Amino acid sequence: MAKRYGHVGLPEDTIHIKLKGTAGQSFGAWLAHGVTLELEGDANDYVGKGLSGGRIVVYPPKGAKIKPEDNIIVGNTVLYGAIRGECYFHGVAGERFAVRNSGAVAVVEGVGDHGCEYMTGGTVVVLGQAGRNFAAGMSGGIAFVLDEAGDFRMRCNMAMVELEAVPAEEAAVSVAGTWPVSSRRMGA
């Protein structure tokens, strides 16, 4: 695809692949625009590594006796170096989620330690617990983190980011304790 269509890729959803089961390392790595991978199951580490415009959707199997918001659905270092594309995870991601993300959009129900580390662009929405050292070295992009327990500030690395509450009048759904994390402007 890259040789024939270049970085532009294919029109949206030209190829839609639906899978069931457990995906191994690097599921959807370097996935190009126009390709959607939908996985009913779970996936290992490096999901969406270098994501380049495609879409990845992972959710638990029908009939699974787990609460997705309390269980890991994708492993560690998900979206490492992603430049563009979308990911939707109905469940929790392991450690180092969206590390070096520079343009992808992701929605997940929780992340382990070091989420959004060295992120330079893109948008991440965490609809649950975030581990310690969130946003370490984050110099761009934005992350929205639902902080129901009210303790996210203690787990966020504030060296290069600022936290702001989302005003209720701006939120589509009023959710107390949602924090957008964005990088500070450095220099003059």
Side-chain angles (χ1 to χ4, degrees):
M1 281 181 41
K3 186 175 182 178
R4 186 166 187 177
Y5 299 103
H7 188 64
V8 173
L10 299 167
E12 187 138 345
D13 273 331
T14 299
I15 300 171
H16 188 118
I17 301 169
K18 186 169 181 183
L19 305 159
K20 290 185 179 185
T22 298
Q25 297 283 338
S26 301
F27 177 68
W30 301 287
L31 191 63
H33 188 266
V35 181
T36 297
L37 295 180
E38 179 182 347
L39 173 61
E40 182 180 334
D42 57 7
N44 211 322
D45 300 340
Y46 291 101
V47 171
K49 175 181 178 179
L51 186 67
S52 298
R55 180 179 299 131
I56 301 172
V57 180
V58 182
Y59 52 90
K62 289 181 176 95
K65 295 179 181 172
I66 64 167
K67 288 178 62 178
E69 63 273 16
D70 294 333
N71 288 275
I72 292 184
I73 195 82
V74 291
N76 298 314
T77 324
V78 171
L79 290 177
Y80 179 83
I83 60 169
R84 178 173 101 147
E86 302 172 5
C87 289
Y88 303 97
F89 302 119
H90 185 30
V92 177
E95 295 185 357
R96 302 196 78 206
F97 184 80
V99 172
R100 299 194 187 282
N101 176 25
S102 64
V105 173
V107 179
V108 65
E109 295 190 59
V111 297
D113 295 343
H114 316 293
C116 298
E117 186 178 39
Y118 305 119
M119 191 165 126
T120 61
T123 302
V124 170
V125 178
V126 181
L127 300 172
Q129 185 82 8
R132 67 180 176 82
N133 202 32
F134 190 91
M138 182 178 170
S139 61
I142 189 165
F144 292 89
V145 180
L146 179 61
D147 184 16
E148 292 180 305
D151 60 357
F152 175 68
R153 184 177 292 278
M154 294 183 321
R155 289 188 315 282
C156 185
N157 185 319
M158 300 296 294
M160 295 178 65
V161 299
E162 295 177 344
L163 299 180
E164 298 177 33
V166 175
E169 64 272 6
E170 291 183 21
V173 176
S174 180
V175 180
T178 302
W179 295 97
V181 180
S182 60
S183 64
R184 285 189 198 127
R185 301 232 185 261
M186 300 303 222

